[in-house]
């Protein structure tokens, strides 16, 4: 469905009923208008060509015997095929599980096993070294001449699709040492996308620069929002999307790009390249706390700045507020279909001016954690008012109705460059090494200087001499299962980890040296 500012064009109102019906109407409408869907390098993919590719991949899924309700891993390099594959899975009712090729093989295998995948989808662009997935690997490369033609291909919507059908599973860091899967339904994704489109006021003039990995759920907004309004995506390559200099060059070369989403850390790196801004740019930031200094720098370089907040368990963002010059940075303004509540230690709502844990309710909440009933029961609660809430673990002050000041976490979870990290997962991997008796990991420093520091107690096999493992050996051991952003930058060997009176690791003493 096209949404346009031009009053001579028909305007459609989205309702979160069926995500695939919305996508189908949008893609077909844009194809009939002859619009470009995706730019990738020097290549431009029309909506007609995108529809043909979606249809081709759906045929491939059907030939492989994949059914609605199955789960498939998406181990595909950044390319238009990646976008078409996500669309094909949605239309087919197959839940996709992102497997970023840049992640270590051990972590990808852990996710595939935990998700009990029915298949892994990949292309010939992948590394030729086999990862050893626990399920069949299906190539999405074209196999011959029997491909759908760009002029007649339409997506095949599964008749078994329901609002509660799983759209995707996003795996995040887990405190037990293994990543945990967050289950997101079609209804939840549709609720979020409809609300975000309304809040941002996107239309068919949208030209969004997509820089986020699909293993980070904010990419769902970058991918699907422009397509839902007949807009245009410029997709960065695997080499470009993490490089602020490359992104700055793209923005300079393509002035029609008018929307970009990134973490505060990446925005800061972009500013530090000397990037002077983009006329008419809508900037979105989230995943970490936005500081006032960076906010003022961005406001001078773009037309509109949105400060976004939301956990994966509530489907991307639940709060989106426009940042105003010389105003305090807060989080607030619930999206349509979302509600927020701040609870004290007794699970009672706090008054204005008081602190507590931010909780979220509404139609966009996750179904819970994949095969983790205990964790789901602990984090998703139903109060006496009958509403189901997600406990975010974030400590906030209630400033006014639907306005909050963010203070940080109430648990061992941290955010580093936008990535959500359970320190317990890193510690569990370290304790699994023979040379390590015990371990504690902290996040030290701020902004670009923030780094993970691992404090290690030597194992019995290490003896009393020099540390049994060097920094390089430790990093190599961890890199088999942890992505780069979860590997500590510093390792400190101690005879004993300091403890509190109750016997717990005293993290304050660690950080104080």
């Amino acid at each position: 469905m096209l949404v346009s500012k031009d009053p001579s064009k028909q305007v459609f109102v989205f309702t979160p009923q069926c995500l695939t019906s919305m996508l189908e109407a949008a893609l077909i409408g844009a194809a009939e208008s002859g619009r470009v869907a995706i730019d990738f390098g020097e290549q431009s993919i029309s909506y007609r060509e995108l529809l043909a590719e979606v249809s081709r991949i759906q045929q491939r899924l059907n030939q492989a015997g994949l059914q609605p309700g199955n789960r498939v891993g998406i181990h595909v390099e950044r390319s238009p095929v990646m976008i078409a594959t996500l669309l094909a899975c949605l239309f087919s009712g197959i839940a996709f599980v992102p497997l970023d090729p840049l992640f270590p093989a051990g972590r990808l295998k852990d996710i595939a096993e935990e998700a009990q995948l029915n298949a892994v989808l990949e292309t010939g662009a992948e590394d030729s070294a086999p990862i050893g997935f626990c399920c069949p690997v299906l190539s999405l490369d074209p196999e011959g001449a029997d491909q759908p033609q760009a002029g007649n291909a339409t997506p095949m919507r599964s008749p078994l699709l329901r609002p509660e059908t799983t759209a995707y599973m996003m795996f995040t860091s887990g405190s037990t040492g293994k990543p945990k899967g967050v289950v997101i339904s079609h209804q939840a994704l549709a609720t979020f996308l409809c609300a975000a489109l309304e809040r941002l006021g996107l239309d068919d003039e949208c030209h969004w620069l997509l820089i986020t990995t699909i293993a980070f759920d904010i990419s769902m907004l970058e991918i699907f929002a422009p397509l839902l309004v007949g807009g245009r995506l410029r997709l960065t390559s695997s080499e470009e999307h993490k490089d602020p200099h490359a992104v700055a060059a793209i923005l300079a070369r393509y002035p029609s790009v008018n929307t970009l989403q990134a973490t505060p850390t990446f925005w800061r790196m972009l500013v530090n390249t000397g990037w002077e801004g983009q006329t008419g740019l809508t900037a979105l930031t989230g995943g970490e706390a936005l500081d006032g200094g960076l906010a003022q720098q961005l406001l001078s370089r773009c037309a509109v700045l949105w400060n976004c907040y939301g956990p994966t368990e509530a489907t991307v963002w639940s709060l989106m507020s426009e940042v105003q010059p010389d105003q305090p940075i807060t989080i607030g303004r619930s999206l349509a279909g979302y509600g927020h509540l701040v609870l004290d230690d007794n699970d009672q709502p706090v008054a204005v001016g008081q602190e507590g844990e931010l909780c979220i309710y509404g139609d966009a909440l996750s179904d819970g954690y994949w095969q983790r009933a205990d964790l789901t029961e602990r984090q998703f609660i139903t109060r006496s008012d009958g509403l189901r809430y997600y406990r975010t673990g974030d400590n906030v002050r209630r400033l006014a109705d639907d306005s909050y000041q963010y203070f940080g976490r109430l648990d061992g979870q941290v955010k580093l460059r936008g990535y959500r990290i359970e320190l317990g997962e890193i510690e569990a991997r370290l304790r699994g090494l023979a040379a390590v008796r015990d371990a504690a990991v902290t996040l030290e420093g701020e902004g670009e200087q923030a780094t993970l520091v691992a404090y290690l107690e030597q194992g019995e096999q290490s003896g009393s001499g020099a540390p049994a493992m060097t920094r390089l050996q430790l990093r190599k051991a961890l890199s088999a299962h942890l992505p780069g952003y979860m590997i500590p930058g510093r390792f400190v060997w101690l005879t004993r980890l300091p403890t509190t009176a109750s016997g717990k690791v005293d993290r304050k003493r660690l950080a104080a040296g």
Side-chain angles (χ1 to χ4, degrees):
M1 298 180 185
L2 295 179
V3 177
S4 177
K5 294 176 182 175
D6 186 341
S8 67
K9 297 181 182 179
Q10 187 173 6
V11 177
F12 296 87
V13 177
F14 291 105
T15 56
Q17 300 301 319
C18 180
L19 178 61
T20 52
S21 64
M22 291 166 23
L23 279 168
E24 181 182 55
L27 296 175
I28 292 175
E32 291 174 348
S33 299
R35 301 180 66 84
V36 171
I38 304 171
D39 296 303
F40 184 62
E42 301 302 318
Q43 181 185 20
S44 291
I45 308 297
S46 70
Y47 273 88
R48 287 185 183 276
E49 291 169 322
L50 177 60
L51 281 169
E53 185 68 359
V54 172
S55 181
R56 181 187 73 80
I57 294 172
Q58 280 192 283
Q59 290 179 23
R60 189 77 181 91
L61 299 178
N62 290 338
Q63 292 166 3
L66 292 168
Q67 302 290 325
N70 286 169
R71 296 167 301 283
V72 298
I74 308 298
H75 188 239
V76 178
E77 293 285 352
R78 295 174 69 85
S79 69
V81 173
M82 180 186 75
I83 306 296
T85 302
L86 300 183
L87 289 167
C89 289
L90 287 177
F91 283 119
S92 301
I94 295 172
F96 61 82
V97 180
L99 299 172
D100 191 329
L102 297 179
F103 282 6
R107 188 171 188 81
L108 297 181
K109 289 173 65 176
D110 288 344
I111 292 175
E113 292 173 4
E114 192 75 16
Q116 299 177 0
L117 297 180
N118 299 97
V120 169
L121 312 180
E122 66 178 22
T123 61
E126 301 302 327
D127 191 326
S128 58
I131 289 180
F133 287 115
C134 58
C135 58
V137 176
L138 178 64
S139 172
L140 297 177
D141 292 332
E143 296 179 339
D146 58 338
Q147 306 302 323
Q149 299 300 309
N152 56 20
T154 57
M156 299 174 287
R157 276 199 289 144
S158 170
L160 300 179
L161 278 174
R162 298 290 183 271
E164 63 272 16
T165 300
T166 300
Y168 63 84
M169 283 171 42
M170 195 68 62
F171 276 78
T172 66
S173 180
S175 59
T176 62
K178 285 188 176 182
K180 59 180 182 288
V182 181
V183 182
I184 301 296
S185 69
H186 277 242
Q187 174 67 33
L189 183 55
T191 298
F192 165 68
L193 289 171
C194 290
L197 287 173
E198 178 186 20
R199 181 63 51 87
L200 295 173
L202 295 184
D203 61 19
D204 58 0
E205 296 175 1
C206 171
H207 193 179
W208 199 307
L209 181 59
L210 171 53
I211 68 170
T212 307
T213 169
I214 62 170
F216 190 177
D217 70 326
I218 71 173
S219 64
M220 299 297 105
L221 176 61
E222 298 178 23
I223 293 170
F224 297 119
L227 298 179
L228 278 167
V229 294
R232 191 165 180 164
L233 274 173
R234 174 157 287 280
L235 176 63
T236 52
S237 69
S238 298
E239 294 75 30
E240 295 169 333
H241 78 106
K242 290 185 176 182
D243 183 351
H245 292 277
V247 171
I250 291 171
L251 290 170
R253 184 176 180 184
Y254 301 102
S256 62
V257 169
N258 55 24
T259 313
L260 176 61
Q261 174 180 253
T263 63
T265 294
F266 191 89
W267 279 116
R268 189 174 290 106
M269 290 191 296
L270 185 61
V271 168
N272 290 342
T273 67
W275 176 69
E276 296 181 352
Q278 191 95 340
T279 302
L281 182 69
T282 294
L284 292 86
T285 185
E288 300 169 299
L290 173 65
D291 65 85
L294 177 60
Q296 296 308 312
Q297 289 179 308
L298 293 178
L299 285 169
S300 68
R301 288 168 170 80
C302 63
V304 181
L305 175 62
W306 292 93
N307 189 28
C308 308
Y309 167 90
T312 301
E313 288 84 349
T315 314
V316 192
W317 306 130
S318 62
L319 296 165
M320 295 176 65
S321 57
E322 186 176 344
V323 180
Q324 300 295 337
D326 302 317
Q327 294 295 316
I329 304 300
T330 62
I331 57 174
R333 292 198 64 202
S334 298
L335 292 176
Y338 290 84
H340 296 78
L341 191 68
V342 182
L343 301 180
D344 62 19
D345 292 340
N346 297 315
D347 286 345
Q348 296 301 310
V350 305
V352 171
Q354 293 183 332
E355 295 180 32
E357 181 179 12
L358 185 61
C359 298
I360 307 173
Y361 61 92
D363 294 333
L365 284 193
S366 163
D367 293 338
Y369 299 103
W370 171 250
Q371 296 198 331
R372 291 289 306 275
D374 56 336
L375 186 58
T376 299
E377 184 177 353
R378 185 164 69 246
Q379 296 300 124
F380 293 86
I381 60 171
T382 301
R383 288 170 42 83
S384 57
D385 54 14
L387 290 177
R388 180 172 177 262
Y389 292 83
Y390 170 67
R391 309 187 69 116
T392 67
D394 286 329
N395 184 33
V396 301
R397 173 181 288 132
R398 184 182 169 208
L399 300 176
D401 287 343
D402 212 23
S403 179
Y404 315 94
Q405 181 181 3
Y406 177 81
F407 288 121
R409 296 292 301 176
L410 295 167
D411 54 21
Q413 186 186 111
V414 298
K415 284 288 188 74
L416 179 61
R417 297 173 184 85
Y419 289 101
R420 187 166 110 180
I421 299 172
E422 291 280 1
L423 298 177
E425 181 174 2
I426 307 172
E427 293 167 350
R429 289 292 178 189
L430 286 167
R431 293 189 191 104
L433 303 176
V436 178
R437 183 201 304 268
D438 201 358
V441 179
T442 62
L443 179 64
E444 300 179 15
E446 297 181 358
E448 293 178 73
Q449 305 305 315
T451 187
L452 294 170
V453 181
Y455 295 89
L456 308 175
E457 189 175 302
Q458 291 193 165
E460 294 180 0
Q461 299 178 20
S462 301
S464 58
M469 296 182 72
T470 65
R471 177 178 180 273
L472 183 60
Q473 290 171 327
L474 287 164
R475 289 181 63 86
K476 184 176 180 180
L478 291 177
S479 67
H481 290 275
L482 300 179
Y485 65 84
M486 291 184 67
I487 297 177
R490 289 176 53 213
F491 296 90
V492 180
W493 288 93
L494 301 173
T495 304
R496 288 284 182 185
L497 294 178
T499 58
T500 64
S502 61
K504 296 181 180 180
V505 173
D506 191 334
R507 296 179 185 274
K508 291 182 179 180
R509 286 174 60 191
L510 284 174

